[in-house]
Amino acid sequence: GAGVSQSPSNKVTEKGKDVELRCDPISGHTALYWYRQSLGQGLEFLIYFQGNSAPDKSGLPSDRFSAERTGGSVSTLTIQRTQQEDSAVYLCASSSRTGTTDTQYFGPGTRLTVL
Amino acid sequence: AQSVTQLDSHVSVSEGTPVLLRCNYSSSYSPSLFWYVQHPNKGLQLLLKYTSAATLVKGINGFEAEFKKSETSFHLTKPSAHMSDAAEYFCVVSRDNAGNMLTFGGGTRLMVKP
């Protein structure tokens, strides 16, 4: 079946502009995660959605970052007033319960470059 | 708090020889542990996971890992490397018992020489 998809695959923007990154999780998965992969910082958790519960935003680096998940499916990560340090690959994952532990399936990522 | 340390940033092996990628973790409870692989310009793919069942976990592509609580280790091994194994490997610990909100190690880049 279809995996996690993300769009765009690449995004180049100018410093100070806003960007939106989209994630389509695997159908039926109740949990959705955003991570960031950057040089020097490795892979960092950003935000987690589970069903209709309030999201866990503990990983968001600043208030310029926000995310929403509409209808329990598609999610959009928004970065306002982008800075050069926001340049990274943004990864989305969704999960289904396998035994007693969720297995997260990752999308191919969106490579964001802030000039 | 949970953390994971991958002891080698780069490992180089010859094709057909064994692979050992080392990982140590710290966790305040019985952790869920994972190994993911990332090939160039590809997404992360789950190799295997440990969830407090058998301590020796078998994954895809001939990889396996052994959970050793006394050593707080979860090393990844493969008896015989293949050229297609060249990639970056991440050891991962979950931040809670349900395997949510993963904490990643710094990654180990595996190079396979012909």
Side-chain angles (χ1 to χ4, degrees):
Chain A
V4 177
S5 61
Q6 293 184 245
S7 60
S9 55
N10 281 282
K11 176 72 176 178
V12 180
T13 190
E14 294 178 347
K15 179 181 173 181
K17 296 283 181 67
D18 297 352
V19 296
E20 287 189 350
L21 312 180
R22 177 186 168 104
C23 172
D24 283 89
I26 294 173
S27 177
H29 282 191
T30 58
L32 186 147
Y33 311 78
W34 283 98
Y35 296 87
R36 178 170 70 174
Q37 185 174 26
S38 54
L39 288 175
Q41 296 293 324
L43 264 151
E44 308 167 89
F45 162 77
L46 296 176
I47 188 170
Y48 158 56
F49 296 88
Q50 173 62 60
N52 295 321
S53 302
D56 183 321
K57 305 179 183 180
S58 59
L60 294 179
S62 78
D63 59 7
R64 296 187 295 105
F65 287 72
S66 62
E68 61 178 24
R69 189 179 184 191
T70 54
S73 180
V74 171
S75 177
T76 302
L77 177 69
T78 301
I79 309 173
Q80 295 179 307
R81 305 180 303 282
T82 51
Q83 303 295 312
Q84 288 183 330
E85 61 262 28
D86 300 333
S87 296
V89 177
Y90 289 82
L91 294 168
C92 175
S94 68
S95 68
S96 68
R97 194 155 285 273
T98 304
T100 58
T101 301
D102 290 351
T103 295
Q104 295 187 26
Y105 296 88
F106 284 79
T110 294
R111 182 176 297 278
L112 175 66
T113 303
V114 181
L115 301 177
Chain B
Q2 291 69 241
S3 68
V4 60
T5 302
Q6 292 183 243
L7 298 162
D8 306 295
S9 59
H10 292 81
V11 169
S12 180
V13 301
S14 297
E15 191 175 21
T17 63
V19 176
L20 170 64
L21 305 183
R22 298 182 294 166
C23 172
N24 286 96
Y25 70 91
S26 67
S27 178
S28 53
Y29 47 77
S30 294
S32 292
L33 292 158
F34 309 79
W35 277 97
Y36 279 85
V37 60
Q38 188 175 36
H39 287 91
N41 300 315
K42 297 260 182 89
L44 286 159
Q45 181 183 18
L46 180 68
L47 274 179
L48 50 81
K49 65 179 180 181
Y50 166 78
T51 58
S52 76
T55 56
L56 183 62
V57 183
K58 294 188 183 298
I60 62 172
N61 301 335
F63 284 94
E64 61 182 38
E66 186 171 8
F67 174 72
K68 292 187 176 180
K69 186 175 181 179
S70 61
E71 299 176 11
T72 60
S73 69
F74 190 57
H75 301 334
L76 181 71
T77 61
K78 182 173 180 177
S80 176
H82 192 274
M83 294 297 290
S84 62
D85 294 328
E88 184 136 24
Y89 292 79
F90 294 92
C91 183
V92 184
V93 63
S94 65
R95 287 173 57 178
D96 63 17
N97 282 338
N100 299 320
M101 295 174 286
L102 306 178
T103 297
F104 285 76
T108 297
R109 182 164 297 279
L110 176 65
M111 294 166 283
V112 182
K113 298 175 289 187

